[in-house]
Amino acid sequence: MIIAKTIEEVRAQVRAWKQEGLTVGLVPTMGYLHEGHASLVDKAVSQCDRVVASDFVNPTQFGPNEDLEAYPRDFDRDCALLEEHGCHMVFYPEVSEMYAPDAATYVEILSDMPKQLCGQTRPIHFRGVCTVVSKLFNIVTPDKAFFGQKDAQQLAIIRRMVRDLSYGIEIVGCPIVREPDGLAKSSRNTYLNPQERQAALVLSQAVRLGQTMVEEGETDARRVVEAMTAHIQAEPLARIDYVSAVDGVTMLPVETIQGSVLVAMAVYIGKTRLIDNFIVEKGE
Ligand code: PAF
């Protein structure tokens, strides 16, 4: 696997692949990889001739009091996982390679979409995500890019950005990967102590509860959200940021579970903020 630290190295390699007529897939990550990321690489390898993963903790998507400095990092382990799953190149830039000291250009969706859900408490987050993902698209020029459904709002926002800015890139969403006991895989799970790790199960239990209610015919979004909220509130170590049912495309709140609906949550377990969700596709 090639380790590229500069934009120029990536461009030269991708140019060579494209001259050979090969297709290129991109898996953007912030490193500290787990089986969720591995599933994205597997999907990319199955659909593209060459796969590039980026491994970059992007400072512009972290707010002033968030965990940028503490964000876990282990590049050697990341490389081992990527190589094992057939990734061809990892892009591992320094912050200075990605952002000039006076960088002042951002990509931002100016609708209510990024203000919902995680955007309520992370107001600059999606501007940072859109900016870095745009830059990665410009650097790697992939045919396809692969994102996890766990970050459902991010996935919807990137699809919107790709549409609005006419990137000719296919965005492939990949299912949430869970631990055997249900907890969604996340690099942030590493922050949890054993007691918190146990308490964190309320997220996936709430997902299961909501899914069951919908499967059994509940169409009132408020009732589903209330039941999930009550379940999470019963756990003393959990503090809810939000539990919401929104339109699967616009991310705006819905009252009725009909069409494409995302039921998503962010919950603090101790100091660690975790997210989880499920999607309902319900016909008229
Ligand atoms: O989902 C992530 O890990 C990040 O938000 C992404 C897409 C790699 C951008 O930094």
Side-chain angles (χ1 to χ4, degrees), residues 27-31 37 54 56-58 61-62 71 125-126 128-130 132-133 136 146-148 151 154 158 187:
V27 179
T29 85
M30 296 207 303
H37 298 107
S54 59
F56 178 63
V57 182
N58 171 39
Q61 69 189 71
F62 287 78
Y71 198 83
H125 177 66
F126 291 112
V129 169
C130 285
V132 79
V133 170
L136 292 168
F146 299 78
F147 294 88
D151 296 292
Q154 167 173 284
I158 286 165
S187 306

Side-chain angles (χ1 to χ4, degrees), residues 218-267:
E218 183 59 77
T219 55
D220 184 334
R222 192 174 44 84
R223 278 205 218 120
V224 174
V225 166
E226 276 175 7
M228 292 169 65
T229 301
H231 181 80
I232 299 165
Q233 280 172 337
E235 167 54 59
L237 293 181
R239 183 168 57 83
I240 292 176
D241 183 354
Y242 66 81
V243 181
S244 301
V246 298
D247 180 274
V249 175
T250 65
M251 301 287 110
L252 297 178
V254 295
E255 287 178 6
T256 308
I257 308 249
Q258 183 122 53
S260 166
V261 173
L262 167 70
V263 182
M265 70 188 83
V267 178

Side-chain angles (χ1 to χ4, degrees), residues 155-168:
L155 178 56
I157 283 174
I158 286 165
R159 287 191 197 285
R160 176 71 184 269
M161 176 186 85
V162 163
R163 190 206 69 178
D164 288 357
L165 296 182
S166 307
Y167 277 109

Side-chain angles (χ1 to χ4, degrees), residues 55-75:
D55 189 321
F56 178 63
V57 182
N58 171 39
T60 64
Q61 69 189 71
F62 287 78
N65 299 316
E66 294 180 6
D67 57 345
L68 173 62
E69 297 310 325
Y71 198 83
R73 291 159 166 93
D74 190 341
F75 184 61

Side-chain angles (χ1 to χ4, degrees), residues 12-31:
Q13 185 57 62
V14 170
R15 210 178 299 126
W17 285 335
K18 291 203 167 175
Q19 273 162 6
E20 286 180 60
L22 301 173
T23 59
V24 176
L26 170 66
V27 179
T29 85
M30 296 207 303

